[in-house]
Short mmCIF file of all heavy atoms in Angstrom, two decimals:
data_model
loop_
_atom_site.label_atom_id
_atom_site.label_comp_id
_atom_site.label_asym_id
_atom_site.label_seq_id
_atom_site.Cartn_x
_atom_site.Cartn_y
_atom_site.Cartn_z
N PRO B 17 -14.12 -8.01 28.93
CA PRO B 17 -12.80 -8.28 28.35
C PRO B 17 -12.86 -8.16 26.83
O PRO B 17 -13.91 -8.34 26.21
CB PRO B 17 -12.53 -9.73 28.77
CG PRO B 17 -13.88 -10.32 29.00
CD PRO B 17 -14.75 -9.20 29.49
N LEU B 18 -11.72 -7.86 26.27
CA LEU B 18 -11.66 -7.73 24.82
C LEU B 18 -11.84 -9.09 24.16
O LEU B 18 -11.86 -10.12 24.82
CB LEU B 18 -10.29 -7.17 24.43
CG LEU B 18 -10.05 -5.72 24.80
CD1 LEU B 18 -8.68 -5.29 24.32
CD2 LEU B 18 -11.11 -4.84 24.19
N ARG B 42 -1.56 2.58 19.38
CA ARG B 42 -1.93 3.50 20.44
C ARG B 42 -3.35 4.02 20.26
O ARG B 42 -4.15 4.05 21.19
CB ARG B 42 -0.93 4.66 20.48
CG ARG B 42 0.41 4.27 21.06
CD ARG B 42 1.45 5.32 20.79
NE ARG B 42 2.58 5.24 21.71
CZ ARG B 42 3.68 4.55 21.48
NH1 ARG B 42 3.81 3.87 20.36
NH2 ARG B 42 4.66 4.53 22.36
N ARG B 50 -8.12 0.83 26.45
CA ARG B 50 -7.16 -0.15 26.95
C ARG B 50 -5.75 0.32 26.61
O ARG B 50 -5.55 1.11 25.70
CB ARG B 50 -7.39 -1.52 26.28
CG ARG B 50 -8.60 -2.25 26.74
CD ARG B 50 -8.44 -2.75 28.12
NE ARG B 50 -9.59 -3.44 28.69
CZ ARG B 50 -10.82 -3.52 28.25
NH1 ARG B 50 -11.16 -2.95 27.13
NH2 ARG B 50 -11.74 -4.17 28.91
N ASP B 51 -4.82 -0.21 27.34
CA ASP B 51 -3.44 0.07 27.00
C ASP B 51 -3.12 -0.53 25.64
O ASP B 51 -3.57 -1.65 25.34
CB ASP B 51 -2.54 -0.54 28.07
CG ASP B 51 -1.09 -0.13 27.88
OD1 ASP B 51 -0.43 -0.70 26.99
OD2 ASP B 51 -0.63 0.76 28.60
N MET B 53 -0.71 -1.98 24.57
CA MET B 53 -0.03 -3.28 24.65
C MET B 53 -0.99 -4.44 24.78
O MET B 53 -0.67 -5.57 24.41
CB MET B 53 0.90 -3.28 25.87
CG MET B 53 2.22 -2.63 25.57
SD MET B 53 3.03 -3.51 24.23
CE MET B 53 3.61 -2.18 23.26
N SER B 54 -2.16 -4.17 25.28
CA SER B 54 -3.11 -5.27 25.47
C SER B 54 -3.55 -5.85 24.13
O SER B 54 -3.99 -6.99 24.05
CB SER B 54 -4.31 -4.79 26.25
OG SER B 54 -5.00 -3.79 25.53
N ARG B 57 -2.40 -9.29 22.56
CA ARG B 57 -2.99 -10.59 22.88
C ARG B 57 -3.80 -11.10 21.70
O ARG B 57 -4.01 -12.30 21.56
CB ARG B 57 -3.96 -10.47 24.05
CG ARG B 57 -3.36 -10.11 25.33
CD ARG B 57 -3.32 -11.24 26.35
NE ARG B 57 -2.19 -10.98 27.20
CZ ARG B 57 -1.30 -11.87 27.58
NH1 ARG B 57 -1.44 -13.11 27.22
NH2 ARG B 57 -0.27 -11.52 28.32
N TYR B 58 -4.28 -10.19 20.89
CA TYR B 58 -5.24 -10.58 19.85
C TYR B 58 -4.70 -10.47 18.44
O TYR B 58 -5.32 -10.88 17.48
CB TYR B 58 -6.51 -9.74 20.00
CG TYR B 58 -7.05 -9.78 21.40
CD1 TYR B 58 -6.78 -8.77 22.32
CD2 TYR B 58 -7.78 -10.89 21.84
CE1 TYR B 58 -7.25 -8.84 23.62
CE2 TYR B 58 -8.25 -10.97 23.13
CZ TYR B 58 -7.98 -9.94 24.03
OH TYR B 58 -8.42 -10.03 25.31
P DT C 6 -3.68 -19.74 30.31
OP1 DT C 6 -4.26 -20.72 29.37
OP2 DT C 6 -2.24 -19.44 30.29
"O5'" DT C 6 -4.50 -18.38 30.16
"C5'" DT C 6 -5.89 -18.38 30.47
"C4'" DT C 6 -6.34 -16.96 30.77
"O4'" DT C 6 -5.64 -16.45 31.93
"C3'" DT C 6 -6.07 -15.96 29.64
"O3'" DT C 6 -7.31 -15.39 29.28
"C2'" DT C 6 -5.10 -14.95 30.24
"C1'" DT C 6 -5.38 -15.08 31.74
N1 DT C 6 -4.23 -14.72 32.63
C2 DT C 6 -4.38 -13.68 33.52
O2 DT C 6 -5.40 -13.03 33.63
N3 DT C 6 -3.28 -13.44 34.31
C4 DT C 6 -2.08 -14.12 34.29
O4 DT C 6 -1.16 -13.82 35.05
C5 DT C 6 -1.99 -15.20 33.34
C7 DT C 6 -0.73 -16.00 33.22
C6 DT C 6 -3.06 -15.44 32.55
P DT C 7 -7.45 -14.43 28.04
OP1 DT C 7 -8.85 -14.49 27.55
OP2 DT C 7 -6.32 -14.75 27.15
"O5'" DT C 7 -7.22 -12.98 28.67
"C5'" DT C 7 -8.16 -12.49 29.64
"C4'" DT C 7 -7.64 -11.21 30.23
"O4'" DT C 7 -6.43 -11.45 30.96
"C3'" DT C 7 -7.29 -10.14 29.18
"O3'" DT C 7 -8.13 -9.03 29.43
"C2'" DT C 7 -5.81 -9.82 29.43
"C1'" DT C 7 -5.63 -10.30 30.88
N1 DT C 7 -4.24 -10.69 31.27
C2 DT C 7 -3.67 -10.08 32.35
O2 DT C 7 -4.22 -9.22 33.02
N3 DT C 7 -2.39 -10.52 32.66
C4 DT C 7 -1.67 -11.49 31.98
O4 DT C 7 -0.55 -11.80 32.34
C5 DT C 7 -2.35 -12.10 30.85
C7 DT C 7 -1.67 -13.15 30.05
C6 DT C 7 -3.59 -11.67 30.55
P DC C 8 -8.20 -7.83 28.40
OP1 DC C 8 -9.57 -7.29 28.41
OP2 DC C 8 -7.59 -8.29 27.14
"O5'" DC C 8 -7.23 -6.78 29.09
"C5'" DC C 8 -7.50 -6.35 30.43
"C4'" DC C 8 -6.27 -5.67 31.01
"O4'" DC C 8 -5.19 -6.61 31.10
"C3'" DC C 8 -5.73 -4.50 30.18
"O3'" DC C 8 -5.97 -3.30 30.89
"C2'" DC C 8 -4.23 -4.82 30.03
"C1'" DC C 8 -4.01 -5.87 31.10
N1 DC C 8 -2.87 -6.79 30.81
C2 DC C 8 -1.77 -6.80 31.67
O2 DC C 8 -1.78 -6.05 32.65
N3 DC C 8 -0.73 -7.63 31.40
C4 DC C 8 -0.77 -8.43 30.33
N4 DC C 8 0.28 -9.23 30.12
C5 DC C 8 -1.88 -8.43 29.44
C6 DC C 8 -2.91 -7.60 29.72
P DT C 9 -5.40 -1.94 30.32
OP1 DT C 9 -6.28 -0.87 30.78
OP2 DT C 9 -5.10 -2.12 28.90
"O5'" DT C 9 -4.02 -1.79 31.12
"C5'" DT C 9 -4.03 -1.85 32.54
"C4'" DT C 9 -2.64 -1.52 33.07
"O4'" DT C 9 -1.72 -2.59 32.77
"C3'" DT C 9 -2.01 -0.25 32.51
"O3'" DT C 9 -1.44 0.47 33.58
"C2'" DT C 9 -0.95 -0.76 31.54
"C1'" DT C 9 -0.54 -2.06 32.23
N1 DT C 9 0.04 -3.10 31.34
C2 DT C 9 1.27 -3.62 31.61
O2 DT C 9 1.94 -3.27 32.55
N3 DT C 9 1.70 -4.58 30.72
C4 DT C 9 1.03 -5.06 29.61
O4 DT C 9 1.51 -5.91 28.89
C5 DT C 9 -0.27 -4.46 29.38
C7 DT C 9 -1.09 -4.89 28.22
C6 DT C 9 -0.70 -3.53 30.24
P DC C 10 -1.09 2.03 33.41
OP1 DC C 10 -1.85 2.81 34.40
OP2 DC C 10 -1.18 2.37 31.97
"O5'" DC C 10 0.44 2.02 33.83
"C5'" DC C 10 1.01 0.81 34.27
"C4'" DC C 10 2.52 0.93 34.42
"O4'" DC C 10 3.13 -0.18 33.72
"C3'" DC C 10 3.14 2.20 33.84
"O3'" DC C 10 4.10 2.69 34.77
"C2'" DC C 10 3.77 1.76 32.52
"C1'" DC C 10 4.04 0.27 32.74
N1 DC C 10 3.81 -0.54 31.50
C2 DC C 10 4.73 -1.53 31.13
O2 DC C 10 5.73 -1.72 31.83
N3 DC C 10 4.51 -2.25 30.01
C4 DC C 10 3.41 -2.02 29.27
N4 DC C 10 3.23 -2.77 28.18
C5 DC C 10 2.46 -1.02 29.63
C6 DC C 10 2.69 -0.31 30.74
P DT C 11 4.88 4.06 34.46
OP1 DT C 11 5.20 4.67 35.75
OP2 DT C 11 4.16 4.84 33.43
"O5'" DT C 11 6.23 3.51 33.82
"C5'" DT C 11 6.85 2.36 34.39
"C4'" DT C 11 8.10 1.99 33.59
"O4'" DT C 11 7.75 1.08 32.51
"C3'" DT C 11 8.83 3.16 32.95
"O3'" DT C 11 10.21 2.99 33.17
"C2'" DT C 11 8.45 3.06 31.48
"C1'" DT C 11 8.37 1.54 31.32
N1 DT C 11 7.55 1.08 30.16
C2 DT C 11 8.01 0.04 29.39
O2 DT C 11 9.06 -0.53 29.61
N3 DT C 11 7.19 -0.32 28.35
C4 DT C 11 5.98 0.26 28.01
O4 DT C 11 5.34 -0.14 27.06
C5 DT C 11 5.56 1.35 28.86
C7 DT C 11 4.28 2.06 28.58
C6 DT C 11 6.36 1.70 29.88
P DA C 12 11.28 4.12 32.66
OP1 DA C 12 12.33 4.15 33.68
OP2 DA C 12 10.56 5.35 32.26
"O5'" DA C 12 11.90 3.43 31.37
"C5'" DA C 12 12.20 2.03 31.43
"C4'" DA C 12 12.71 1.59 30.07
"O4'" DA C 12 11.58 1.28 29.22
"C3'" DA C 12 13.53 2.64 29.33
"O3'" DA C 12 14.74 2.05 28.88
"C2'" DA C 12 12.63 3.09 28.19
"C1'" DA C 12 11.76 1.88 27.95
N9 DA C 12 10.43 2.19 27.42
C8 DA C 12 9.60 3.22 27.82
N7 DA C 12 8.47 3.27 27.16
C5 DA C 12 8.56 2.21 26.27
C6 DA C 12 7.68 1.73 25.29
N6 DA C 12 6.48 2.28 25.03
N1 DA C 12 8.07 0.66 24.57
C2 DA C 12 9.26 0.11 24.83
N3 DA C 12 10.17 0.47 25.73
C4 DA C 12 9.75 1.54 26.42
P DC C 13 15.85 2.92 28.11
OP1 DC C 13 17.17 2.46 28.59
OP2 DC C 13 15.47 4.35 28.16
"O5'" DC C 13 15.70 2.40 26.62
"C5'" DC C 13 15.79 1.00 26.38
"C4'" DC C 13 15.66 0.75 24.89
"O4'" DC C 13 14.26 0.87 24.54
"C3'" DC C 13 16.42 1.75 24.04
"O3'" DC C 13 17.16 1.07 23.05
"C2'" DC C 13 15.34 2.64 23.44
"C1'" DC C 13 14.14 1.69 23.41
N1 DC C 13 12.83 2.39 23.48
C2 DC C 13 11.77 1.95 22.68
O2 DC C 13 11.94 0.98 21.95
N3 DC C 13 10.59 2.60 22.75
C4 DC C 13 10.44 3.63 23.56
N4 DC C 13 9.25 4.24 23.60
C5 DC C 13 11.50 4.10 24.38
C6 DC C 13 12.68 3.46 24.32
P DA C 14 18.41 1.85 22.35
OP1 DA C 14 19.65 1.11 22.68
OP2 DA C 14 18.31 3.31 22.61
"O5'" DA C 14 18.08 1.58 20.83
"C5'" DA C 14 17.43 0.38 20.44
"C4'" DA C 14 16.59 0.65 19.20
"O4'" DA C 14 15.35 1.27 19.58
"C3'" DA C 14 17.24 1.60 18.18
"O3'" DA C 14 17.09 1.05 16.90
"C2'" DA C 14 16.49 2.90 18.38
"C1'" DA C 14 15.11 2.37 18.74
N9 DA C 14 14.26 3.33 19.45
C8 DA C 14 14.64 4.25 20.38
N7 DA C 14 13.64 4.98 20.83
C5 DA C 14 12.54 4.51 20.14
C6 DA C 14 11.18 4.87 20.16
N6 DA C 14 10.69 5.83 20.93
N1 DA C 14 10.35 4.21 19.34
C2 DA C 14 10.85 3.24 18.55
N3 DA C 14 12.11 2.81 18.45
C4 DA C 14 12.91 3.49 19.28
#
Side-chain angles (χ1 to χ4, degrees):
Chain B
L18 290 182
R42 286 167 159 92
R50 287 289 178 349
D51 187 282
M53 277 301 136
S54 63
R57 294 251 152 225
Y58 308 98

